[in-house]
Amino acid sequence: MAIKIVQNVNRITANVSTATTSNPIALKSGYLRVSTGLTSVYVEIGSEPVATTNSFQIGPYGNEVLKERLARQKIAGITTGTTTIVSFSENAGNPFLVGDYVTIQNAQPAGINTEHKLVTQVLNDSLTISHNSSSIVGVITTTNASLARSVKVSAITASGSQNVSVTEVVQLVTE
Protein backbone atom coordinates (compact mmCIF):
# COMPACT_ATOMS: atom_id res chain seq x y z
CA MET A 1 0.00 0.00 0.00
CA ALA A 2 1.22 3.50 -0.82
CA ILE A 3 0.17 6.88 0.50
CA LYS A 4 0.17 10.27 -1.15
CA ILE A 5 0.95 13.39 0.90
CA VAL A 6 -1.84 15.96 0.66
CA GLN A 7 -0.30 18.53 3.01
CA ASN A 8 2.41 18.79 5.64
CA VAL A 9 1.61 20.24 9.05
CA ASN A 10 4.00 21.89 11.49
CA ARG A 11 6.04 19.44 13.57
CA ILE A 12 5.07 19.30 17.25
CA THR A 13 7.64 18.89 20.03
CA ALA A 14 5.80 16.90 22.69
CA ASN A 15 6.91 17.26 26.32
CA VAL A 16 6.05 15.54 29.60
CA SER A 17 4.23 18.17 31.60
CA THR A 18 2.41 20.29 29.01
CA ALA A 19 0.54 19.26 25.87
CA THR A 20 1.74 20.90 22.66
CA THR A 21 -0.73 21.69 19.88
CA SER A 22 -0.27 22.03 16.12
CA ASN A 23 -1.39 24.89 13.92
CA PRO A 24 -4.92 24.48 12.51
CA ILE A 25 -5.25 21.98 9.67
CA ALA A 26 -7.91 22.75 7.01
CA LEU A 27 -8.79 19.16 6.14
CA LYS A 28 -8.49 17.99 2.52
CA SER A 29 -8.77 14.21 2.94
CA GLY A 30 -9.40 13.74 6.65
CA TYR A 31 -6.59 11.17 7.00
CA LEU A 32 -3.86 12.38 9.36
CA ARG A 33 -0.63 10.40 9.63
CA VAL A 34 0.99 10.97 13.02
CA SER A 35 4.47 9.55 13.62
CA THR A 36 7.02 9.65 16.41
CA GLY A 37 10.59 8.57 17.14
CA LEU A 38 12.32 7.14 20.20
CA THR A 39 9.61 7.95 22.77
CA SER A 40 5.92 7.07 22.68
CA VAL A 41 3.42 9.93 22.57
CA TYR A 42 -0.22 10.44 23.48
CA VAL A 43 -2.32 12.20 20.85
CA GLU A 44 -5.68 14.01 20.69
CA ILE A 45 -7.24 15.44 17.52
CA GLY A 46 -10.10 17.92 17.52
CA SER A 47 -11.19 21.54 17.53
CA GLU A 48 -9.15 22.64 20.55
CA PRO A 49 -7.60 19.36 21.79
CA VAL A 50 -5.45 18.86 24.88
CA ALA A 51 -3.62 15.53 25.02
CA THR A 52 -3.21 13.68 28.32
CA THR A 53 -1.66 10.35 29.25
CA ASN A 54 -5.17 8.89 28.77
CA SER A 55 -5.19 9.90 25.09
CA PHE A 56 -4.48 7.63 22.09
CA GLN A 57 -0.95 6.27 22.41
CA ILE A 58 1.53 5.86 19.55
CA GLY A 59 4.48 3.68 20.52
CA PRO A 60 8.18 4.40 19.92
CA TYR A 61 9.06 4.72 16.23
CA GLY A 62 5.36 4.31 15.53
CA ASN A 63 3.02 5.91 13.05
CA GLU A 64 -0.73 5.78 12.76
CA VAL A 65 -3.19 7.09 10.19
CA LEU A 66 -6.15 8.57 12.04
CA LYS A 67 -9.41 9.51 10.31
CA GLU A 68 -11.23 12.76 10.98
CA ARG A 69 -14.70 13.72 9.70
CA LEU A 70 -14.22 15.66 6.47
CA ALA A 71 -16.46 18.64 5.70
CA ARG A 72 -15.74 20.95 2.77
CA GLN A 73 -18.05 23.06 0.61
CA LYS A 74 -17.80 25.68 -2.14
CA ILE A 75 -18.84 29.15 -0.93
CA ALA A 76 -21.54 31.06 -2.83
CA GLY A 77 -21.45 34.24 -0.72
CA ILE A 78 -20.13 35.86 2.46
CA THR A 79 -21.97 38.41 4.60
CA THR A 80 -19.72 40.47 6.87
CA GLY A 81 -20.49 41.84 10.32
CA THR A 82 -19.67 41.19 13.97
CA THR A 83 -20.18 37.55 13.01
CA THR A 84 -19.67 36.22 9.48
CA ILE A 85 -22.33 34.38 7.48
CA VAL A 86 -21.13 31.95 4.81
CA SER A 87 -23.71 30.93 2.18
CA PHE A 88 -23.71 27.90 -0.10
CA SER A 89 -25.40 27.38 -3.46
CA GLU A 90 -29.01 26.24 -3.41
CA ASN A 91 -29.26 22.46 -2.91
CA ALA A 92 -25.48 22.19 -2.34
CA GLY A 93 -25.96 20.93 1.22
CA ASN A 94 -24.31 21.94 4.45
CA PRO A 95 -21.92 19.32 5.90
CA PHE A 96 -20.93 21.42 8.95
CA LEU A 97 -22.15 21.16 12.54
CA VAL A 98 -22.46 23.71 15.34
CA GLY A 99 -19.21 23.41 17.29
CA ASP A 100 -17.06 22.64 14.23
CA TYR A 101 -14.11 24.91 13.52
CA VAL A 102 -13.74 26.05 9.92
CA THR A 103 -11.35 27.87 7.61
CA ILE A 104 -12.35 30.14 4.69
CA GLN A 105 -9.93 29.73 1.77
CA ASN A 106 -9.38 31.56 -1.54
CA ALA A 107 -11.93 34.36 -1.08
CA GLN A 108 -11.12 37.95 -2.09
CA PRO A 109 -10.11 40.31 -0.60
CA ALA A 110 -7.56 38.23 1.30
CA GLY A 111 -8.65 39.71 4.66
CA ILE A 112 -11.92 37.77 4.55
CA ASN A 113 -10.08 34.44 4.66
CA THR A 114 -10.12 32.97 8.16
CA GLU A 115 -8.34 30.25 10.04
CA HIS A 116 -10.00 27.95 12.58
CA LYS A 117 -13.17 29.85 13.52
CA LEU A 118 -16.07 28.39 15.54
CA VAL A 119 -19.37 27.55 13.80
CA THR A 120 -22.13 29.02 15.98
CA GLN A 121 -25.22 28.46 13.81
CA VAL A 122 -26.07 26.10 10.94
CA LEU A 123 -28.93 26.41 8.44
CA ASN A 124 -29.63 24.32 5.31
CA ASP A 125 -27.80 26.71 2.96
CA SER A 126 -25.57 28.79 5.27
CA LEU A 127 -23.74 28.97 8.57
CA THR A 128 -22.51 31.61 10.99
CA ILE A 129 -18.95 31.71 12.33
CA SER A 130 -17.51 33.68 15.24
CA HIS A 131 -15.38 35.97 13.12
CA ASN A 132 -15.75 39.75 13.25
CA SER A 133 -15.44 40.74 9.59
CA SER A 134 -17.06 44.18 9.93
CA SER A 135 -13.80 45.88 8.90
CA ILE A 136 -13.88 44.18 5.47
CA VAL A 137 -15.29 46.65 2.93
CA GLY A 138 -15.92 46.40 -0.77
CA VAL A 139 -16.96 43.51 -2.96
CA ILE A 140 -16.25 40.01 -1.69
CA THR A 141 -15.44 37.55 -4.49
CA THR A 142 -16.09 33.86 -3.83
CA THR A 143 -15.41 32.41 -7.30
CA ASN A 144 -12.83 29.88 -6.05
CA ALA A 145 -13.60 30.13 -2.33
CA SER A 146 -14.27 27.13 -0.13
CA LEU A 147 -14.99 26.43 3.51
CA ALA A 148 -13.17 23.52 5.17
CA ARG A 149 -13.51 21.91 8.58
CA SER A 150 -10.28 22.40 10.52
CA VAL A 151 -8.72 20.52 13.41
CA LYS A 152 -5.59 20.61 15.54
CA VAL A 153 -3.36 17.81 16.84
CA SER A 154 -2.18 17.85 20.46
CA ALA A 155 0.58 15.61 21.84
CA ILE A 156 2.27 14.86 25.17
CA THR A 157 4.89 12.28 26.19
CA ALA A 158 5.17 10.06 29.27
CA SER A 159 8.90 10.85 29.53
CA GLY A 160 11.41 13.15 27.86
CA SER A 161 10.54 15.16 24.79
CA GLN A 162 9.83 13.94 21.29
CA ASN A 163 9.21 15.44 17.86
CA VAL A 164 5.87 14.41 16.40
CA SER A 165 5.31 14.66 12.65
CA VAL A 166 1.81 15.25 11.29
CA THR A 167 0.99 14.86 7.60
CA GLU A 168 -2.37 14.71 5.85
CA VAL A 169 -2.41 11.85 3.38
CA VAL A 170 -4.56 9.92 0.95
CA GLN A 171 -4.17 6.18 0.99
CA LEU A 172 -3.71 4.64 -2.43
CA VAL A 173 -3.96 0.93 -3.06
CA THR A 174 -2.06 -0.60 -5.96
CA GLU A 175 -3.03 -3.91 -7.47
Side-chain angles (χ1 to χ4, degrees), residues 148-162:
R149 180 170 176 257
S150 57
V151 297
K152 294 180 180 179
V153 177
S154 177
I156 193 169
T157 63
S159 64
S161 67
Q162 179 62 57

Side-chain angles (χ1 to χ4, degrees), residues 10-83:
N10 69 302
R11 183 172 63 188
I12 305 168
T13 301
N15 298 302
V16 176
S17 58
T18 306
T20 307
T21 305
S22 72
N23 293 332
I25 307 161
L27 297 173
K28 294 180 180 181
S29 71
Y31 291 97
L32 297 174
R33 182 178 186 269
V34 182
S35 57
T36 185
L38 181 63
T39 306
S40 65
V41 297
Y42 300 91
V43 175
E44 287 285 338
I45 300 174
S47 299
E48 293 293 345
V50 178
T52 69
T53 54
N54 292 321
S55 299
F56 182 77
Q57 182 180 18
I58 300 175
Y61 299 107
N63 70 75
E64 297 289 339
V65 177
L66 305 173
K67 175 68 174 132
E68 276 297 303
R69 178 176 55 84
L70 182 64
R72 183 175 277 274
Q73 186 61 273
K74 183 173 174 15
I75 297 173
I78 298 174
T79 305
T80 60
T82 55
T83 59

Side-chain angles (χ1 to χ4, degrees), residues 2 24 37 40 46 50 54 64 76-77 85 88 94 103 127 159 170:
S40 65
V50 178
N54 292 321
E64 297 289 339
I85 300 171
F88 307 117
N94 187 342
T103 298
L127 58 78
S159 64
V170 176

Side-chain angles (χ1 to χ4, degrees), residues 93-106:
N94 187 342
F96 302 97
L97 303 171
V98 170
D100 280 347
Y101 278 68
V102 295
T103 298
I104 296 174
Q105 299 174 312
N106 302 317

